[in-house]
Amino acid sequence: MFVLGIDPGLSRCGYGVVESTGKNLRAVAAGVIRTPPEMDLALRLAELQKEIHALIADYQPEEVAVERVLFQVNVSSAMATGQAAGVTMAAAASTGLPVALYSPNEVKLAVAGWGGADKQQMERMVQSQLAITKPLRPVDAADAIAVAICHLAMRPSAALAAAKKQ
Amino acid sequence: MFVLGIDPGLSRCGYGVVESTGKNLRAVAAGVIRTPPEMDLALRLAELQKEIHALIADYQPEEVAVERVLFQVNVSSAMATGQAAGVTMAAAASTGLPVALYSPNEVKLAVAGWGGADKQQMERMVQSQLAITKPLRPVDAADAIAVAICHLAMRPSAALAAAKKQ
């Protein structure tokens, strides 16, 4: 099972593909899509849309997980991040893939065991779960990998909850 | 010259196509794209993206004008509107069309002559410029038509400013 995790952003959009084979997790790809700030906003969003489609074509994930954008202190950057998240969700859903959203706290809870985990704790837990010796870089790519891990952790319980309802 | 104006929104996204032939303006199409609130967010955004592509294919506008999303009192609806605006801009720009953004005040200034114009003044000015006897409905469609008229009003001065720079 391949999951594409996205940490949305307009200037820097983190992505990470995680493969789950039973209990093992493997980071298949991780990186950052950048769009130049001097470029026209609509063209930046179109560029981001193209890159998301290219990632889906290249890695053929079965599901997509996107970090939910919350309001930050800087409202103008929150709006740009929201626009980027919107484009990401539409691009993924238009290819027919299921798209799940997770708040930053949900990602921390699923990956590190509690919603108040700091960056270093998250890094160590991601390293441990992927069985890698160095922290993932750049940071946006590591965040996207954490979103994908969160989705893989939440999926079985979601399936279980659905099964219990039946 | 055909311009597609968009008043972005997730539940209701207004659109209007205005044709300019010299000094005359004509509303070619006006309506609202709706996505159901009970539907998954990513699917709603994908649906909006599909509808924007369909409008561009149907009416073959040469340029697209989108109303800029500002922060409102309700931050959660502002975020949804921002996501819808992002999807709209990316959809239009990915087809190669130029996309221009205008703030609500810029639209009022261009259409009614001043940035503080109220809804009734805007309605009357749009009616007058399109030479129609009844106000356009629904309201979101009328707002989108105003964005397209704003773009047509701003274009020549933009071209003039560019020419003066040379």
Side-chain angles (χ1 to χ4, degrees):
Chain A
M1 162 109 206
F2 277 56
V3 169
L4 170 62
I6 300 281
D7 180 26
L10 184 61
S11 295
R12 306 170 52 85
C13 178
Y15 68 87
V17 181
V18 176
E19 182 187 21
S20 157
T21 53
K23 282 195 174 180
N24 294 320
L25 295 182
R26 189 170 69 95
V28 176
V32 177
I33 301 166
R34 292 160 207 264
T35 66
E38 66 276 13
M39 196 192 260
D40 184 74
L41 174 60
L43 290 174
R44 294 175 79 184
L45 292 167
E47 179 70 19
L48 176 61
Q49 175 182 276
K50 197 180 78 178
E51 294 292 335
I52 298 288
H53 278 299
L55 281 176
I56 291 172
D58 286 352
Y59 296 104
Q60 303 274 328
E62 289 148 86
E63 299 185 358
V64 178
V66 179
E67 185 158 309
R68 199 184 288 277
V69 180
L70 302 179
F71 276 81
Q72 303 148 352
V73 179
N74 184 338
V75 286
S76 107
S77 86
M79 184 53 87
T81 307
Q83 290 169 338
V87 166
T88 300
M89 285 185 264
S94 69
T95 64
L97 294 176
V99 178
L101 292 175
Y102 298 100
S103 70
N105 276 14
E106 284 172 319
V107 175
K108 287 176 184 172
L109 187 65
V111 174
W114 71 298
D118 64 22
K119 281 196 174 292
Q120 288 188 330
Q121 287 170 317
M122 285 291 287
E123 265 186 358
R124 278 199 299 273
M125 288 305 294
V126 167
Q127 272 181 256
S128 154
Q129 294 195 34
L130 296 175
I132 54 176
T133 50
K134 285 186 183 171
L136 283 167
R137 289 286 181 274
V139 170
D140 306 75
D143 289 347
I145 288 282
V147 177
I149 292 176
C150 164
H151 181 62
L152 284 161
M154 303 293 274
R155 273 190 89 254
S157 62
L160 200 64
K164 276 185 185 167
K165 272 191 190 169
Q166 290 175 351
Chain B
M1 161 111 208
F2 277 56
V3 170
L4 169 61
I6 300 281
D7 180 25
L10 184 60
S11 295
R12 305 169 53 84
C13 179
Y15 68 87
V17 181
V18 176
E19 182 188 20
S20 157
T21 53
K23 282 196 172 177
N24 294 319
L25 296 182
R26 189 170 70 95
V28 176
V32 177
I33 301 166
R34 292 159 207 265
T35 68
E38 66 276 14
M39 196 191 260
D40 184 75
L41 174 61
L43 290 175
R44 294 176 79 183
L45 293 167
E47 179 68 19
L48 176 62
Q49 176 182 276
K50 197 180 77 177
E51 294 293 334
I52 298 286
H53 279 299
L55 281 176
I56 291 171
D58 286 350
Y59 296 103
Q60 303 275 327
E62 289 148 86
E63 300 186 356
V64 179
V66 180
E67 186 158 309
R68 198 184 289 278
V69 181
L70 302 178
F71 275 81
Q72 304 147 354
V73 177
N74 184 335
V75 286
S76 108
S77 86
M79 184 52 88
T81 307
Q83 290 169 339
V87 166
T88 300
M89 285 185 266
S94 70
T95 64
L97 293 177
V99 178
L101 293 174
Y102 298 99
S103 72
N105 275 13
E106 284 172 319
V107 175
K108 287 176 184 174
L109 187 64
V111 174
W114 68 299
D118 65 22
K119 282 196 175 292
Q120 289 189 329
Q121 288 171 316
M122 285 293 284
E123 266 186 357
R124 277 199 299 274
M125 288 306 293
V126 167
Q127 273 181 255
S128 154
Q129 294 195 34
L130 296 175
I132 54 176
T133 52
K134 286 185 184 172
L136 282 166
R137 288 288 180 274
V139 171
D140 307 75
D143 289 347
I145 289 280
V147 177
I149 293 175
C150 164
H151 181 62
L152 284 162
M154 303 294 275
R155 275 189 88 253
S157 62
L160 199 66
K164 276 186 184 164
K165 272 192 188 168
Q166 287 175 351

